[in-house]
Amino acid sequence: MSKKTTLIILATVIVLGVVIAGAYLLQTESSIPVRTEDDQKIVYTIDLSVDEERLRLDCSERGGKFNECGSPCGPDEDVCMAVCAYTCEFNDN
C-alpha cells in the first residue's frame, strides 16, 4: 500500500471518528428531558426511571439545586398533582 493510500484511509477513519463522537455528544445533550422551565425552576420529568445523574449534572451546570422529589407544577397553577418530579430549583436570594 502506498503512503498516499495509507494517509487517505487514516484521514477517513479520523473524520468518521470525529463525526460519530459529535453525533453521540449531541444526542446525549439533547436527550435530557425538560417538561417545563421558568425563572424559578426546571421540571425535567416525572419519569423516575430516567438517569438521575445526568439531570443532577445538568442542574449543577445551570447553577441550580437538584430536587429528586420536587413539584411538577408552575407557580400560577391552581390545581396540581401530588407526584414527585425531578426538578432543578433556583433561589432568587
Side-chain angles (χ1 to χ4, degrees):
M1 208 180 312
S2 72
K3 247 185 185 178
K4 184 177 180 182
T5 304
T6 304
L7 287 175
I8 290 173
I9 292 171
L10 182 60
T12 303
V13 168
I14 290 171
V15 168
L16 283 174
V18 169
V19 168
I20 290 170
Y24 174 77
L25 288 175
L26 284 175
Q27 178 186 14
T28 301
E29 287 180 17
S30 66
S31 65
I32 293 180
V34 174
R35 187 172 180 187
T36 61
E37 185 172 352
D38 60 42
D39 292 342
Q40 296 174 0
K41 70 179 173 183
I42 298 169
V43 178
Y44 291 115
T45 183
I46 60 172
D47 178 6
L48 301 182
S49 68
V50 173
D51 181 10
E52 184 179 326
E53 287 306 310
R54 283 190 14 247
L55 302 180
R56 283 184 182 277
L57 179 61
D58 181 70
C59 183
S60 175
E61 289 173 353
R62 294 174 186 246
K65 181 180 177 192
F66 185 77
N67 186 342
E68 62 274 349
C69 193
S71 171
C73 301
D76 299 328
E77 292 185 41
D78 293 331
V79 178
C80 180
M81 292 186 324
V83 296
C84 287
Y86 288 136
T87 61
C88 182
E89 299 167 358
F90 306 99
N91 289 335
D92 290 346
N93 300 337

